[in-house]
Amino acid sequence: LRILSLGAGVQSSTLALMIAKGKIPMVDCAIFADTMGEPKAVYEWLSWLEKQLNYPVYKVSKGDLRQDILDAVNGTYKFMSVPFYTKNPTTNKKGLLFRQCTADYKIIPVNQKVRELLGLVSNEKRKKGTKVEMLMGISMDEVYRVKVNRLKYITNVYPLIELGMNRKDCLSWFKKHNYPTPPRSACTFCPFHNNSEWRNIKENKEEWDKVVELDKLIRKGTKKNTDEIFLHKSCIPIDKVDFTEKPDDQ
């Protein structure tokens, strides 16, 4: 199998369309792992993108990441998997929760779909010699994200890096082919947003209100973690943060 891991952001969308136009060898399908926490613009973009492609897009999901976060706070879910920022209310020492969301809500659901496409059920072992190529939408400016797949039968392939393309090249490619510009793909409550990205989210009142609500609800932490928890790295309530401050607005 030859599969595109589709995040529906700038880079993976570039790959998706380059494949459709024959600039990159054809794939059997694309797989989009849905955390159910993406901004509305990403889901609208994905709907448009699917119509441009000449191969199937499968959507998979582990579940609603936002709800699982709230359930972790309430003690009805095993743990909080997002690397939110923490602050000890006594010492003011800051920290970061362990990051497990990408593996649990992106990688594992995609790998489960790959097994399904291979005709494997439950814990059935794959046939010897089974090979899968997984095309990853990672560009030259993200070369630090290049990794060997943990599953021996899946080989990660990085066409944009092979082509020497960075994110700006991808945006130029969209412009050259008269395509609309794709939005950035990331959960609305992702703690790795920079201030510029937070400002963009704030422009959508409905999404921003849910972000503010979540930030307040996670503050008390979980039974296993008694530190205060925040969405923003300043460890200030998200609706009190001054997003016009710059050092991270690159």
Side-chain angles (χ1 to χ4, degrees):
L1 286 175
R2 183 173 162 86
I3 297 170
L4 169 63
S5 179
L6 181 62
V10 171
Q11 286 94 328
S12 67
S13 295
T14 303
L15 268 186
L17 290 165
M18 290 180 84
I19 292 166
K21 293 178 72 68
K23 303 298 183 182
I24 292 174
M26 182 54 66
V27 294
D28 295 288
C29 65
I31 303 177
F32 172 78
D34 188 6
T35 65
M36 301 187 183
E38 297 275 1
K40 182 181 178 183
V42 169
Y43 294 111
E44 291 175 345
W45 170 261
L46 180 61
S47 179
W48 175 88
L49 182 62
E50 284 184 89
K51 296 180 177 67
Q52 318 306 313
L53 306 181
N54 49 2
Y55 50 88
V57 176
Y58 297 111
K59 296 169 189 154
V60 297
S61 180
K62 179 185 184 296
D64 188 333
L65 176 54
R66 185 181 189 275
Q67 187 58 52
D68 288 346
I69 291 167
L70 294 176
D71 289 344
V73 172
N74 297 327
T76 57
Y77 189 73
K78 52 186 178 179
F79 64 94
M80 199 175 291
S81 60
V82 181
F84 293 134
Y85 300 96
T86 64
K87 185 175 74 172
N88 186 293
T90 304
T91 66
N92 285 329
K93 183 179 179 181
K94 296 180 181 180
L96 194 68
L97 295 180
F98 182 69
R99 182 181 183 180
Q100 189 64 29
C101 51
T102 300
D104 286 355
Y105 293 82
K106 292 282 188 178
I107 297 172
I108 291 176
V110 168
N111 288 342
Q112 288 173 338
K113 184 63 180 180
V114 170
R115 284 181 56 83
E116 178 188 321
L117 292 170
L118 290 171
L120 302 175
V121 295
S122 187
N123 293 322
E124 180 185 355
K125 291 184 178 181
R126 63 182 175 85
K127 294 180 181 179
K128 189 174 182 180
T130 301
K131 298 290 183 183
V132 176
E133 279 191 338
M134 185 72 69
L135 279 67
M136 310 295 289
I138 292 176
S139 53
M140 290 293 292
D141 43 323
E142 301 177 316
V143 71
Y144 61 91
R145 295 178 58 200
V146 171
K147 292 180 175 65
V148 174
N149 201 297
R150 292 184 178 182
L151 299 178
K152 293 182 179 179
Y153 63 95
I154 300 180
T155 300
N156 290 345
V157 181
Y158 301 91
L160 295 178
I161 289 179
E162 292 171 6
L163 293 170
M165 293 178 66
N166 58 32
R167 191 175 190 275
K168 288 184 178 179
D169 294 328
C170 292
L171 292 171
S172 297
W173 189 87
F174 274 95
K175 188 174 182 179
K176 177 182 176 182
H177 291 86
N178 296 315
Y179 288 128
T181 302
R184 183 177 184 271
S185 174
C187 292
T188 56
F189 46 83
C190 178
F192 293 151
H193 289 318
N194 61 32
N195 283 348
S196 176
E197 289 158 351
W198 282 123
R199 285 198 299 270
N200 289 337
I201 293 169
K202 196 173 180 179
E203 290 176 2
N204 184 308
K205 185 179 185 305
E206 182 181 353
E207 291 179 350
W208 178 246
D209 286 348
K210 291 188 72 174
V211 165
V212 172
E213 178 188 41
L214 181 65
D215 183 62
K216 291 177 180 177
L217 291 171
I218 64 173
R219 188 80 70 245
K220 64 181 181 180
T222 66
K223 291 180 179 179
K224 293 183 178 180
N225 180 68
T226 56
D227 289 350
E228 293 181 322
I229 299 178
F230 299 83
L231 294 184
H232 194 267
K233 66 180 182 180
S234 63
C235 290
I236 296 173
I238 195 75
D239 56 340
K240 306 297 183 186
V241 176
D242 180 5
F243 297 122
T244 61
E245 292 180 357
K246 296 196 165 175
D248 67 344
D249 277 14
Q250 303 300 321

